[in-house]
Amino acid sequence: MKNKYYKFLFLTAFALFSASCSNDDDNNNTEEPAEVVTEHKYLRILLSDEKTTELTLVDPAEAKTSSFTAKFAKSALYTTGSGRYAGIVHRDNNTVETFDSGFETHGDHIDVDGNPQFGFLTGQSLKPTHFKSKLGEILTFNDGDGTLSVGKEADVNKSGSVFKTINAGLLAHHGAMAQFSNGTYAITEKDNSVTGTLPEKVKIINNTGATLFAAKIATKGIHGNASDGTYAVFGSVDGVLVVESNGNQKLITLPSDFGTAWFGSILETADNGKFVGFTAAKGAYLIDVVNSTIKPILQNTTIMQCKVSYNHKKLGLLLHSGEFKLFNLTSLAVEKETKPISETATDATLKPQLAISERFAYITSPNTGELIQLDLSSAVSKKIKVSNTPYMITIIGYENSESH
């Protein structure tokens, strides 16, 4: 009997031990490894350098870089309306270059249409400064003589192609322009009623420079603008100036606590009629031009960079403290808060620059010659070596990984 009893105890213990091991295995198997997020295959990051003519093209999905040589150092970089090309603006050298990612979009997939390279399309003008690109056009406002330079995206790779000049009879000033969907332009003008280089008014012209609608509202100074094709929106001392292609104009009153502050930067969003206004003196705000409202997104006086994401659906704010905050532009809710970099002095000569894709934020590190790639889902970051003193940054290509 004893042997049978001990045998029973042994078999029971063995069964319990086996069940325990089996449960442990099941528990381990349910813990799936964290998904590794990678950037879209056909998206690229382009960076210029402060001290050299080096341009760095980063393939973030593969963490690979390529180097190119621009005509001059310290260039400003912008993305064209299609996303395929970049505009490289050398304001102090009166020159504009173009750069081709080599990608061609077909909606649901991307074709590789050659290697990344400089485009043939170039421009020579007096102090090209303000850059815009929509409807297949590439535009700069030339502060040196108050003209516009216009190029076609379709001409970027055509040998001998150059920007054409539109002269609207303006005085030289630090100006801006915006494109309407009907092919006309809203353009600033200066009448010297305000001391300095800032313009006071906005009129509408056609592609020959002829005035279609004269300015209706005079301000005490304008800087910063954006357009969704229907509305052209300008930051002004007197409020947010809204201009329509039919000549209608109105001012949206600034918040009552602004005092002398006003929006010097206006950014486009994915929602028609809605824009982001930014002033370092108060923070970032959502402007609804249809309802004439201005709502705070983040009221903060230490914002270093304010950038809309590549798809225009999110707003990224990088603070001097090194904190990064990502906002949903529909709900205005904070989606991510983290501190990917150390503090930057407010009087730093060269500050980190920011660009944001659907999946990552990209931050330059001018002191270490690196590009920080911040995963927006996990807040994990990694560093990619670029040129020694990265200056400006822009995203080109497409948020798509599908090939033909």
Side-chain angles (χ1 to χ4, degrees):
M1 289 293 296
K2 281 186 178 181
N3 287 340
K4 290 182 179 180
Y5 177 73
Y6 290 137
K7 184 176 182 180
F8 171 78
L9 288 179
F10 173 78
L11 291 174
T12 301
F14 180 80
L16 291 172
F17 175 77
S18 298
S20 176
C21 290
S22 175
N23 288 337
D24 285 346
D25 288 341
D26 289 342
N27 289 336
N28 287 337
N29 289 336
T30 60
E31 294 180 8
E32 297 180 0
E35 181 181 358
V36 177
V37 178
T38 58
E39 186 54 276
H40 289 281
K41 180 179 179 180
Y42 296 109
L43 204 72
R44 297 291 182 267
I45 314 300
L46 186 67
L47 303 101
S48 61
D49 192 79
E50 182 195 24
K51 298 178 180 178
T52 74
T53 58
E54 183 179 358
L55 292 183
T56 305
L57 184 67
V58 179
D59 176 350
E62 300 291 337
K64 294 179 179 179
T65 63
S66 305
S67 292
F68 300 84
T69 303
K71 291 184 182 296
F72 306 98
K74 208 174 183 178
S75 54
L77 303 177
Y78 304 94
T79 306
T80 65
S82 70
R84 172 169 176 165
Y85 309 102
I88 305 167
V89 179
H90 307 284
R91 182 183 190 273
D92 294 337
N93 299 101
N94 303 323
T95 302
V96 176
E97 297 181 90
T98 52
F99 188 87
D100 182 7
S101 67
F103 300 143
E104 184 178 76
T105 180
H106 292 275
D108 63 340
H109 72 275
I110 306 299
D111 284 350
V112 176
D113 185 31
N115 295 319
Q117 61 185 352
F118 284 98
F120 287 108
L121 178 63
T122 57
Q124 294 290 320
S125 56
L126 292 177
K127 293 189 176 358
T129 305
H130 199 78
F131 181 97
K132 288 294 178 184
S133 179
K134 284 184 182 296
L135 306 173
E137 290 186 328
I138 305 170
L139 299 174
T140 63
F141 184 93
N142 307 312
D143 286 4
D145 58 10
T147 63
L148 290 184
S149 291
V150 183
K152 299 287 187 182
E153 289 197 63
D155 292 339
V156 168
N157 291 319
K158 289 184 180 179
S159 179
S161 57
V162 295
F163 283 78
K164 298 178 182 178
T165 300
I166 296 177
N167 192 330
L170 302 173
L171 297 175
H173 67 278
H174 184 50
M177 68 292 165
Q179 295 153 287
F180 290 115
S181 297
N182 65 1
T184 63
Y185 310 104
I187 188 169
T188 58
E189 58 178 323
K190 183 164 182 61
D191 60 13
N192 284 327
S193 61
V194 174
T195 302
T197 62
L198 292 182
E200 303 89 3
K201 302 174 182 178
V202 174
K203 67 177 180 177
I204 298 173
I205 65 171
N206 64 16
N207 59 10
T208 69
T211 299
L212 300 178
F213 298 98
K216 294 182 177 180
I217 295 175
T219 73
K220 297 183 181 67
I222 291 170
H223 190 278
N225 85 293
S227 173
D228 60 8
T230 301
Y231 301 98
V233 181
F234 297 79
S236 116
V237 174
D238 297 295
V240 176
L241 178 62
V242 182
V243 180
E244 297 180 62
S245 60
N246 61 6
N248 289 341
Q249 299 190 9
K250 69 177 180 180
L251 277 172
I252 300 176
T253 304
L254 296 169
S256 58
D257 64 346
F258 261 46
T260 59
W262 55 286
F263 296 124
S265 296
I266 307 290
L267 308 173
E268 297 162 10
T269 76
D271 295 324
N272 288 342
K274 293 184 179 180
F275 300 81
V276 172
F278 171 67
T279 169
K282 297 298 293 185
Y285 293 72
L286 185 70
I287 303 167
D288 184 334
V289 302
V290 176
N291 296 305
S292 297
T293 60
I294 299 176
K295 296 180 180 179
I297 300 172
L298 179 66
Q299 294 173 300
N300 189 296
T301 60
T302 66
I303 298 173
M304 182 168 56
Q305 289 277 293
C306 174
K307 294 292 180 68
V308 171
S309 63
Y310 199 49
N311 61 15
H312 290 183
K313 295 181 180 180
K314 307 291 175 68
L315 181 72
L317 299 173
L318 183 64
L319 279 58
H320 279 278
S321 63
E323 295 175 272
F324 172 78
K325 298 177 184 290
L326 185 71
F327 290 83
N328 182 304
L329 282 172
T330 299
S331 67
L332 302 188
V334 180
E335 292 191 349
K336 180 63 64 177
E337 291 184 276
T338 186
K339 188 177 179 181
I341 63 172
S342 58
E343 184 177 357
T344 301
T346 55
D347 61 351
T349 304
L350 188 58
K351 296 180 175 66
Q353 300 293 305
L354 173 68
I356 308 159
S357 73
E358 180 184 32
R359 298 174 177 176
F360 294 90
Y362 296 92
I363 305 168
T364 62
S365 178
N367 295 326
T368 64
E370 294 170 318
L371 178 66
I372 298 168
Q373 184 185 27
L374 174 67
D375 187 332
L376 295 177
S377 61
S378 67
V380 172
S381 64
K382 66 179 181 180
K383 298 175 181 179
I384 301 170
K385 184 73 179 86
V386 291
S387 65
N388 289 336
T389 48
Y391 179 65
M392 294 293 287
I393 180 175
T394 199
I395 298 175
I396 58 175
Y398 304 97
E399 292 185 311
N400 193 325
S401 297
E402 299 299 321
S403 56
H404 184 67

